[in-house]
Amino acid sequence: MKTGLNTAIFLAFACLAMPAGAQDYPQPPGNLEKLQQFKTTGDVTEIPVIPQSGPKAAAMNKTLSRIKLPQGFKIALYAIVPDARHMAVGPQSVAVFVGTRKTKVYAVTDRDKDRVADEVKVFAPTIGFSVPNGLCFSKDGFLFVVEQNRVLTFPAAEFFYEGADVAAFQVVKGGELIPKEEESYNHTARVCRVGPDDKLYIALGQPFNVPASDKLDLYRKWGIGGIIRMDRDGKNREVYASGVRNSVGMDFNPKDKALWFTDNQVDGMGDDVPPGELNRAEKPGLNFGFPYFGGGKIRTAEYKDQQAPSDAVSPQVEYDAHAADLGMTFYSGTQFPAKYRGGIFAAEHGSWNRTKPIGARIMFTSLKPDGTADKTEVFAEGWLTPDGEYLGRPVDVAVLADGSLLVSDDFAGAIYRISYGQ
């Protein structure tokens, strides 16, 4: 290891060398303490590698032949990644890191830069993760992994990722992101971004379809059903936005620094209501209306007789009801035509309870000169057959250094690459 890098990481995270916290996270006891001190754990001698060819790849390529895109675009298999969810592209373009709703994080490497992954392997296998869905990078190369109830950071993920032991530190200890008694199997796939203020932003979905009123004060205090932000070392935590049911996608507009996020809205109100949402928070302290509003201006049955917040912010875009809008990103590349530059791509996972399924596609929203939403249209579709069968379920979108767009799919266990031109 380079001494300079070692020293820099120690100095940056000296304040984070703390006990491993909640023991329900399934790493062997003491592994985090060892990794914080750059010691080997000895727990893994061979890192699992995911095969990238064979019948599975052939089946995925057959599915991709069905995908409809605007003229001049094409889609190809980038990598086979089991349970692929949210992605973080390394700032040095060494690797793409991929979260899951299970217990693993993957590192995807394209060594020869032919825009197809050469290697996919488990990242940090000596750490036991619990729903490590949310991944995001800082500009200086710190990878943050937000789990169900813990936040870790890897100060040199692109440097250490090839080994079994990876330098890791706790930003939020296990059991302290939310109260342990509020842990749930539902709506716990977190997402994160490091903002233009260099703070860490995390969306905290609340676990119910609509929560009971006796939960609201607790949720407001912790930012559950909202978005929180904190310093990168976990200090100075605060609630940034409230009235959010379950956001599983967010990004900052590079131009005006506003935070945009998707929100999945209330189930059980019918096939066509309420709409999904794409929201814009240009400042802290905004309330986006849930649980008084189930989506858009549709009131929930549980709170229809209660006074809604007078300052509730309406969505910038109302998506089709129950399409399950998840990951989103601003298009920062130049490969795509001018129409797409500076706009928003968002992934729709697809409905689970609509009598006629909808979604499983990529949406695009252009912006007006004032930074608000303009037009929204379907960009890529075909993962949902006319018979209502899912061939894939997009989760997240991310821009590679060459300007192409990655799409993750947790149903097929894959990452696709959409490119334009030659």
Side-chain angles (χ1 to χ4, degrees):
M1 186 192 328
K2 295 181 180 179
T3 303
L5 178 62
N6 187 353
T7 302
I9 296 173
F10 263 126
L11 291 174
F13 276 84
C15 62
L16 296 184
M18 56 184 66
Q23 292 303 313
D24 52 348
Y25 281 80
Q27 74 270 2
N31 271 9
L32 270 178
E33 291 94 326
K34 291 178 182 177
L35 296 173
Q36 288 170 166
Q37 299 172 34
F38 297 90
K39 294 180 178 179
T40 59
T41 64
D43 285 336
V44 175
T45 57
E46 185 174 345
I47 302 174
V49 176
I50 308 302
Q52 294 298 299
S53 60
K56 195 167 188 176
M60 291 177 183
N61 284 322
K62 182 179 180 182
T63 294
L64 293 182
S65 68
R66 304 171 55 101
I67 303 305
K68 298 177 181 178
L69 290 158
Q71 187 174 359
F73 288 90
K74 56 182 177 290
I75 187 168
L77 179 63
Y78 183 75
I80 296 175
V81 183
D83 313 304
R85 293 280 294 184
H86 284 70
M87 302 174 286
V89 178
Q92 298 182 39
S93 299
V94 172
V96 177
F97 296 83
V98 187
T100 70
R101 282 198 296 183
K102 296 184 180 178
T103 59
K104 289 183 173 61
V105 175
Y106 293 93
V108 179
T109 309
D110 173 18
R111 298 184 188 278
D112 57 11
K113 300 304 176 183
D114 65 351
R115 308 310 172 193
V116 178
D118 302 303
E119 181 182 69
V120 176
K121 62 182 181 182
V122 175
F123 172 69
T126 60
I127 295 176
F129 294 104
S130 179
V131 196
N133 184 83
L135 278 63
C136 57
F137 265 105
S138 65
K139 289 183 178 180
D140 56 352
F142 285 58
L143 175 66
F144 293 86
V145 176
V146 182
E147 303 173 76
Q148 179 190 45
N149 201 1
R150 182 176 67 176
V151 182
L152 299 181
T153 189
F154 300 85
E158 289 188 282
F159 181 84
F160 289 115
Y161 80 97
E162 295 199 80
D165 293 324
V166 182
F169 299 85
Q170 292 187 103
V171 177
V172 179
K173 292 191 294 183
E176 295 187 4
L177 184 61
I178 64 172
K180 284 189 64 62
E181 59 271 18
E182 296 301 322
E183 288 182 359
S184 171
Y185 56 83
N186 196 36
H187 297 170
T188 56
R190 318 296 185 197
V191 292
C192 65
R193 280 289 192 270
V194 176
D197 55 2
D198 205 35
K199 290 180 178 287
L200 179 63
Y201 289 71
I202 300 171
L204 296 179
Q206 57 78 47
F208 298 97
N209 186 34
V210 179
S213 58
D214 61 5
K215 290 285 188 180
L216 297 187
D217 286 343
L218 176 68
Y219 287 2
R220 290 190 191 104
K221 175 182 176 181
W222 283 81
I224 298 171
I227 296 171
I228 61 171
R229 72 174 173 182
M230 62 187 72
D231 295 343
R232 283 169 45 176
D233 61 3
K235 297 178 181 177
N236 298 313
R237 172 176 171 161
E238 62 182 332
V239 177
Y240 185 80
S242 59
V244 181
R245 181 174 177 268
N246 180 38
S247 175
V248 197
M250 62 179 174
D251 198 15
F252 287 89
N253 186 339
K255 291 185 178 180
D256 64 10
K257 315 304 181 187
L259 175 63
W260 291 66
F261 60 94
T262 59
D263 197 10
N264 289 273
Q265 294 306 321
V266 174
D267 295 311
M269 299 182 71
D271 272 4
D272 300 316
V273 293
E277 294 185 353
L278 179 62
N279 293 290
R280 178 176 183 258
E282 70 274 13
K283 61 182 180 180
L286 298 180
N287 185 311
F288 291 85
F290 181 78
Y292 303 93
F293 297 96
K297 289 296 185 182
I298 305 297
R299 294 297 301 267
T300 57
E302 293 84 349
Y303 289 85
K304 63 181 175 61
D305 296 327
Q306 297 192 32
Q307 180 66 43
S310 59
D311 58 352
V313 180
S314 297
Q316 290 282 308
V317 175
E318 293 189 356
Y319 290 121
D320 288 329
H322 311 301
D325 312 286
L326 301 185
M328 58 153 291
T329 189
F330 279 86
Y331 183 71
S332 56
T334 59
Q335 182 185 122
F336 290 6
K339 166 185 176 178
Y340 299 99
R341 297 173 192 174
I344 297 169
F345 286 100
E348 291 189 342
H349 200 225
S351 60
W352 64 269
N353 63 345
R354 203 172 185 271
T355 58
K356 184 177 180 181
I358 195 171
R361 58 195 181 185
I362 305 300
M363 308 297 291
F364 175 74
T365 298
S366 58
L367 300 187
K368 298 175 182 177
D370 66 357
T372 59
D374 192 5
K375 298 178 181 178
T376 296
E377 61 189 41
V378 176
F379 176 73
E381 61 181 340
W383 288 280
L384 178 61
T385 72
D387 296 328
E389 181 180 11
Y390 284 106
L391 304 178
R393 302 191 73 179
V395 174
D396 194 24
V397 282
V399 181
L400 281 180
D402 72 340
S404 58
L405 186 72
L406 297 182
V407 177
S408 64
D409 179 340
D410 64 349
F411 181 79
I415 297 175
Y416 316 119
R417 175 177 174 266
I418 297 175
S419 59
Y420 181 80
Q422 296 300 318

